[in-house]
Amino acid sequence: MDTIIVIGSNSFSGATFIDFALAKGSRVIGLSRSSELLDVFLPYKWKDHNNFTFYPFDLNKHLVEITALIQDIKPSYVINFAAQSMVAESWINP
């Protein structure tokens, strides 16, 4: 079973990918700076998945914790869906 860390797990793309990966039998660890959204926005919550773990980690504030998690778990893949979609805003709040 592959283990996948998904950064930006609460994004539309991240949540949809997590649902896909879980359906394929992967173990998934989701990381996002915000707490998990309502279930309606997270397709992986629409089914009973036992192989998902969520951590409320912010890339700007929890880099040490994220690095330790990656070193401890040794995932098969790390996939990044974290992004600031507005360029001007990304300069103010990277």
Side-chain angles (χ1 to χ4, degrees):
M1 170 188 328
D2 285 333
T3 298
I4 304 169
I5 291 182
V6 177
I7 301 170
S9 62
N10 286 344
S11 69
F12 174 80
S13 299
T16 303
F17 176 80
I18 289 169
D19 186 50
F20 171 80
L22 289 170
K24 295 292 184 186
S26 296
R27 175 181 174 218
V28 181
I29 292 120
L31 310 177
S32 187
R33 68 180 176 183
S34 57
S35 57
E36 287 185 290
L37 307 170
L38 297 173
D39 290 359
V40 70
F41 298 113
L42 302 171
Y44 61 85
K45 291 218 168 199
W46 304 347
K47 301 171 194 113
D48 186 23
H49 292 298
N50 296 323
N51 292 327
F52 178 74
T53 307
F54 175 76
Y55 291 90
F57 288 163
D58 183 326
L59 283 171
N60 294 314
K61 298 177 183 173
H62 301 108
L63 194 54
V64 171
E65 292 90 339
I66 293 169
T67 302
L69 182 67
I70 291 170
Q71 290 174 343
D72 182 47
I73 292 175
K74 296 178 182 31
S76 304
Y77 305 96
V78 176
I79 301 175
N80 180 29
F81 289 102
Q84 178 58 271
S85 61
M86 296 172 45
V87 175
E89 185 68 22
S90 73
W91 285 96
I92 298 167
N93 295 305

